[in-house]
Amino acid sequence: MSATTAKAIADKAEKTQRITWSKNYTKSQIYAIMTPQFTKPFIDKYFKQQFRTAGKDRKSNQLYHVIETEIWGLSLYPLDWKGEYEPKKPTVTHFVKNGKAYLYISQYHVNEMSGNKTTTICFYKSGTKWLVYDHQVKYNQRK
């Protein structure tokens, strides 16, 4: 798989997830926004970990908003495809296992405040769509 194709897949997922940061939504709205790009188990975890209650709408439905201090937990960390801010561009790993296609996009991020880390966005192909099923963050040990 080319880096251009992988970038388009990752950018679409990141853009979709960031919509959930823009305002208050009901739980069903959050799921509807994310379902085209993410698996339900991922959305379940993301919702549980990343959202707080935020009042009610005109129909008394509970609204939720992303917890601002926890924005990176399961939120997709931005990828620097041009190599402007990170020491290396993302790596793309595409493989088939047990008849299912997978795509892993990883990047090493330098951050003096929170520590250097490698993030990996994990996709699998479902029909014609690539769905995020995991977002892994591995922190490097400080010496």
Side-chain angles (χ1 to χ4, degrees):
M1 175 177 291
S2 73
T4 303
T5 301
K7 179 184 181 313
I9 293 166
D11 286 353
K12 192 172 182 181
E14 182 182 346
K15 182 179 177 183
T16 298
Q17 189 179 57
R18 284 179 181 246
I19 292 169
T20 67
W21 301 0
S22 63
K23 64 180 188 176
N24 300 337
Y25 292 101
T26 64
K27 185 175 182 179
S28 62
Q29 289 171 324
I30 293 166
Y31 275 73
I33 290 165
M34 294 186 70
T35 294
Q37 302 297 318
F38 297 83
T39 64
K40 185 178 181 312
F42 183 92
I43 301 169
D44 290 342
K45 238 167 82 173
Y46 176 69
F47 182 81
K48 183 178 179 181
Q49 185 179 94
Q50 303 289 135
F51 285 86
R52 61 172 171 78
T53 57
K56 298 202 178 207
D57 67 11
R58 284 184 249 146
K59 296 179 181 178
S60 294
N61 295 312
Q62 182 66 60
L63 294 172
Y64 299 88
H65 192 80
V66 72
I67 301 171
E68 294 84 352
T69 58
E70 299 297 326
I71 204 156
W72 293 119
L74 282 173
S75 297
L76 305 181
Y77 206 84
L79 298 169
D80 179 14
W81 290 93
K82 293 180 180 179
E84 295 177 271
Y85 304 103
E86 303 297 350
K88 295 180 184 177
K89 292 180 182 181
T91 59
V92 176
T93 305
H94 177 250
F95 62 96
V96 176
K97 182 177 179 183
N98 298 327
K100 186 178 263 188
Y102 292 87
L103 171 63
Y104 291 176
I105 304 172
S106 300
Q107 187 165 36
Y108 179 75
H109 304 276
V110 176
N111 188 318
E112 292 178 11
M113 297 292 284
S114 64
N116 299 343
K117 60 188 153 282
T118 301
T119 62
T120 303
I121 306 170
C122 305
F123 298 83
Y124 69 74
K125 195 163 191 178
S126 176
T128 59
K129 295 181 180 181
W130 286 98
L131 301 175
V132 175
Y133 72 91
D134 198 7
H135 182 240
Q136 302 168 352
V137 180
K138 182 179 179 184
Y139 285 89
N140 297 39
Q141 292 182 352
R142 292 184 180 191
K143 293 182 179 186

